[in-house]
Amino acid sequence: MTESVTTSDLLDARNEFRARRLKELLADREAYERQRRQAAQASYERCIAHEAEAERLRFRDGGESQRFRGLARVDFATVLDPLPREREALEAREAALQAHWDEPAVWTRTTPGAPLKIYHYTTACGHVSGAGRHPDSFHAQFESEAAALRLTPCGVDFCRWAREEFDRLHIRARA
């Protein structure tokens, strides 16, 4: 049973999945930083323009000058964090990846029409790669993500062995 799936295979699959998730996250972080720089530069330029207009109107229309100074203060406050929602979403994804880092990768079916019920610990499971199966209709995710969808673990021997092996490795890693 376990001759076709080794502990190394399980760890390689998990590490490949983690690397893919990390690469996506880093690409999104880079895109966010680029957008943040552009938004900060735009806020800074608006701030300078508002200050210049406030100074121009200082002796002619004091109320309008104060309004422009208020706009400059608002723009200056946004220069440091111009995209707070995007930053918070990215930080949440980073925290989730860190929280799931040591979990095994599991496979769930992604084909429409078939309700999701179980997840698999290895692609060697007959329900994933058996006769007439389409392994490309499965996608990887962390075990807790599958459990959050109320999926249950597969009971086939390959999957049970893989789960036991992950449990054994996780206990050894914590010791």
Side-chain angles (χ1 to χ4, degrees):
M1 168 190 54
T2 59
E3 295 79 40
S4 62
V5 179
T6 65
T7 302
S8 178
D9 294 335
L10 296 173
L11 293 176
D12 288 347
R14 182 193 65 187
N15 292 342
E16 180 182 319
F17 175 65
R18 287 192 319 194
R20 191 170 46 251
R21 278 274 181 100
L22 185 58
K23 187 176 181 179
E24 291 169 2
L25 186 62
L26 292 175
D28 291 347
R29 167 61 79 180
E30 187 176 314
Y32 162 76
E33 289 297 335
R34 192 171 34 259
Q35 291 173 341
R36 186 195 62 75
R37 278 192 304 274
Q38 292 169 349
Q41 183 65 33
S43 291
Y44 175 75
E45 289 169 1
R46 281 193 310 273
C47 178
I48 296 300
H50 290 317
E51 278 294 329
E53 188 63 18
E55 191 60 33
R56 188 181 70 77
L57 294 172
R58 188 168 102 189
F59 296 112
R60 282 190 245 155
D61 187 355
E64 191 67 8
S65 176
Q66 289 303 316
R67 187 179 77 78
F68 276 106
R69 289 209 192 285
L71 291 172
R73 277 192 296 278
V74 168
D75 283 332
F76 184 70
T78 63
V79 167
L80 297 177
D81 192 10
L83 305 170
R85 285 188 204 101
E86 290 85 349
R87 177 186 46 78
E88 290 167 359
L90 195 58
E91 287 172 351
R93 285 182 51 208
E94 289 171 349
L97 182 59
Q98 188 175 13
H100 300 307
W101 194 253
D102 289 327
E103 292 181 19
V106 297
W107 281 262
T108 56
R109 184 179 300 281
T110 57
T111 53
L116 297 174
K117 293 182 181 171
I118 61 174
Y119 57 89
H120 306 274
Y121 288 98
T122 175
T123 55
C125 175
H127 291 183
V128 177
S129 59
R133 304 290 181 179
H134 300 281
D136 56 340
S137 69
F138 286 80
H139 78 281
Q141 62 188 122
F142 287 113
E143 182 180 25
S144 64
E145 293 171 334
L149 295 172
R150 296 180 185 227
L151 303 180
T152 57
C154 177
V156 173
D157 288 344
F158 278 125
C159 284
R160 272 200 319 257
W161 175 83
R163 177 68 224 160
E164 290 167 2
E165 191 64 10
F166 273 121
D167 286 342
R168 185 183 68 76
L169 290 171
H170 189 67
I171 289 169
R172 185 183 300 159
R174 284 185 289 180

